[in-house]
Amino acid sequence: MSEINTNQSFAVNEQSNKNYLFPLTAMTTLFFLWGFITVLNDVLIPRLKGVFDLTYFEAMLVQFCFFGAYFIVSIPAGILVKQLGYKKGILTGLIVASIGCMLFYPAVVVHEYWLFLGALFVLAAGVTVLQVSANPYVAALGPEKTASSRLNLAQALNALGTTVGPYVGGILFFGTAGTLAASAASAASAESVKVPYLMLAAALLLIAIIFAFIKLPEIEAHKEENNAAVESRSLTQAPHLTMGVLAIFCYVGGEVAIGSFLVNYFGEAHIAGLEEHAAAALISYYWGGAMVGRFIGSALLQKIAPSKAIAFNAFSVIALLLITIFTQGDVALYSVLAIGLFNSIMFPTIFSVAIEKLGSLTSKGSGWLCLAIVGGALVPLLQGFIADTVNIQQSFFVPMICYVFIAWYGLNVVRLANKWK
């Protein structure tokens, strides 16, 4: 039996360092998959808007249903994973997500928008269980001091999914739209949604079968109930976790809000004056920067304290947002695109430091953090209000405020974590 670190919060049963490569490799497939699934919403929204002749508000219910699932399911998912363990939690998430994908078939047949929303909620519920299971599990597969590095490497594969997802989804959803007669366009569009999600359902079930037969290390310290010093305390007494929940809320909200406004922002005459299709093509640089940054961060975080990395990147984003707000032309355009590079390490690094030293409460803490992903539904609404009442460029002050809090968290998380000792 190998004990991985001195405080035993990351102890792994009967595993040695040389055995971590296979389970980590297996887990990266999950990170890629849920990144791919999540970013498909960006392609699904315009498709469903056209099929059902929706208003923009109605079309945005896609994101509300998806991110709303995180808010509703995360805490129950944390309890579920605590009872079943990480492997069974992963299997549960894969099966639920597969069911959600299969529900797109009756939604297409019946041709009702609310059925698509219901399918998305079930799909997102499964993805939520996957996140609650996989993030702390990857963090635990090795020394605690390199947990942020491992999560960043796994999240780099997630970013790869978000980078290729819109391209693949665009081909699958829109590939034959131009050849359709106008009278058949609506039905054919619905059909184009059905096949990709049935393919995803099959892929999720196949991965579930594979995971059912592979052996994954047990995280003993996350299972043990005999640590009275930890169990006697509530998670509300862990300030590094509670503030981490707010930091995740701010990060996801800021990232999604910035990405949601890029097309309109690039269309402004004093920025680039681009048509929608040309502006949309530039968004790949925003998400691609996040992917590159996570690979770089995975290496650097083996030598740099995670708290310092969070603070440095948050201050960098704040600087870039100020440039975005107060400049014009190419400077404003490239500054906002560069934010993706510094966004890269935020989520996995905040996540890993927030669950540090939680021991057997780790899965519950993970549920709290995944709940905070609801920021992706709320912060863009606030930015939209400011954009409507002032202007789109000034609206970027909203995500900037989010990053101010993240910078504070990076500067103070070590002190907060010491209060939990």
Side-chain angles (χ1 to χ4, degrees), residues 100-366:
C101 289
M102 287 187 283
L103 289 175
F104 275 80
Y105 185 89
V108 170
V109 173
V110 179
H111 204 69
E112 290 288 344
Y113 183 48
W114 66 270
L115 283 175
F116 283 96
L117 297 179
L120 278 165
F121 182 88
V122 175
L123 170 58
V127 173
T128 302
V129 178
L130 280 179
Q131 291 228 35
V132 172
S133 304
N135 280 301
Y137 186 76
V138 168
L141 285 174
E144 183 176 6
K145 65 180 181 180
T146 56
S148 293
S149 174
R150 287 190 300 279
L151 265 180
N152 270 282
L153 181 59
Q155 288 286 347
L157 272 297
N158 177 268
L160 178 61
T162 63
T163 301
V164 304
Y167 176 78
V168 175
I171 293 174
L172 294 174
F173 290 170
F174 300 104
T176 60
T179 65
L180 299 172
S183 60
S186 178
S189 296
E191 288 292 325
S192 72
V193 170
K194 178 176 66 177
V195 175
Y197 280 95
L198 287 178
M199 293 168 61
L200 279 175
L204 288 162
L205 285 177
L206 176 62
I207 293 173
I209 293 171
I210 294 171
F211 266 83
F213 287 98
I214 64 177
K215 184 176 181 180
L216 297 176
E218 293 287 349
I219 311 302
E220 292 298 325
H222 292 185
K223 294 168 57 181
E224 292 167 357
E225 300 290 345
N226 58 0
N227 189 340
V230 172
E231 292 296 330
S232 64
R233 293 183 288 178
S234 165
L235 286 178
T236 58
Q237 296 174 288
H240 66 299
L241 173 66
T242 54
M243 292 298 100
V245 170
L246 290 176
I248 289 290
F249 179 95
C250 288
Y251 166 68
V252 176
E255 179 194 47
V256 172
I258 292 169
S260 298
F261 282 87
L262 288 182
V263 171
N264 290 328
Y265 180 66
F266 294 156
E268 293 285 295
H270 67 289
I271 302 300
L274 297 176
E275 297 291 336
E276 288 186 354
H277 68 279
L282 290 177
I283 297 178
S284 62
Y285 292 100
Y286 179 73
W287 295 109
M291 178 180 66
V292 172
R294 281 173 180 164
F295 281 114
I296 296 172
S298 178
L300 292 180
L301 281 166
Q302 296 188 44
K303 300 183 180 297
I304 299 173
S307 58
K308 293 180 180 178
I310 293 171
F312 174 82
N313 281 35
F315 280 120
S316 298
V317 173
I318 292 168
L320 289 168
L321 282 170
L322 287 172
I323 296 172
T324 298
I325 294 168
F326 292 110
T327 63
Q328 300 180 4
D330 287 346
V331 174
L333 185 150
Y334 290 118
S335 64
V336 74
L337 286 178
I339 290 172
L341 180 66
F342 294 97
N343 269 341
S344 56
I345 62 104
M346 293 282 193
F347 184 92
T349 308
I350 294 171
F351 198 103
S352 63
V353 298
I355 61 173
E356 189 175 326
K357 300 172 183 166
L358 294 184
S360 59
L361 297 177
T362 298
S363 58
K364 291 182 181 179
S366 176

Side-chain angles (χ1 to χ4, degrees), residues 250 318 321 382 396-406:
C250 288
I318 292 168
L321 282 170
L382 179 57
F396 283 96
F397 274 115
V398 173
M400 193 187 79
I401 293 171
C402 292
Y403 286 97
V404 169
F405 178 81
I406 295 169

Side-chain angles (χ1 to χ4, degrees), residues 8-161:
Q8 298 186 13
S9 65
F10 286 78
V12 179
N13 183 40
E14 296 180 353
Q15 296 290 326
S16 60
N17 278 337
K18 65 180 181 180
N19 292 329
Y20 295 153
L21 181 60
F22 175 74
L24 283 171
T25 302
M27 298 305 296
T28 58
T29 63
L30 302 181
F31 282 77
F32 173 87
L33 195 58
W34 83 57
F36 185 93
I37 289 171
T38 301
V39 83
L40 276 185
N41 289 346
D42 294 340
V43 186
L44 182 65
I45 288 171
R47 170 50 63 226
L48 294 183
K49 185 178 185 299
V51 171
F52 294 101
D53 193 24
L54 304 173
T55 66
Y56 282 108
F57 177 83
E58 290 169 334
M60 284 306 298
L61 290 175
V62 168
Q63 296 289 26
F64 272 99
C65 285
F66 199 88
F67 285 109
Y70 282 94
F71 186 77
I72 295 171
V73 177
S74 289
I75 290 180
I79 297 172
L80 177 73
V81 173
K82 180 68 163 55
Q83 296 297 320
L84 298 181
Y86 292 117
K87 179 176 178 177
K88 291 182 180 178
I90 290 167
L91 292 175
T92 301
L94 287 167
I95 293 170
V96 172
S98 178
I99 292 171
C101 289
M102 287 187 283
L103 289 175
F104 275 80
Y105 185 89
V108 170
V109 173
V110 179
H111 204 69
E112 290 288 344
Y113 183 48
W114 66 270
L115 283 175
F116 283 96
L117 297 179
L120 278 165
F121 182 88
V122 175
L123 170 58
V127 173
T128 302
V129 178
L130 280 179
Q131 291 228 35
V132 172
S133 304
N135 280 301
Y137 186 76
V138 168
L141 285 174
E144 183 176 6
K145 65 180 181 180
T146 56
S148 293
S149 174
R150 287 190 300 279
L151 265 180
N152 270 282
L153 181 59
Q155 288 286 347
L157 272 297
N158 177 268
L160 178 61

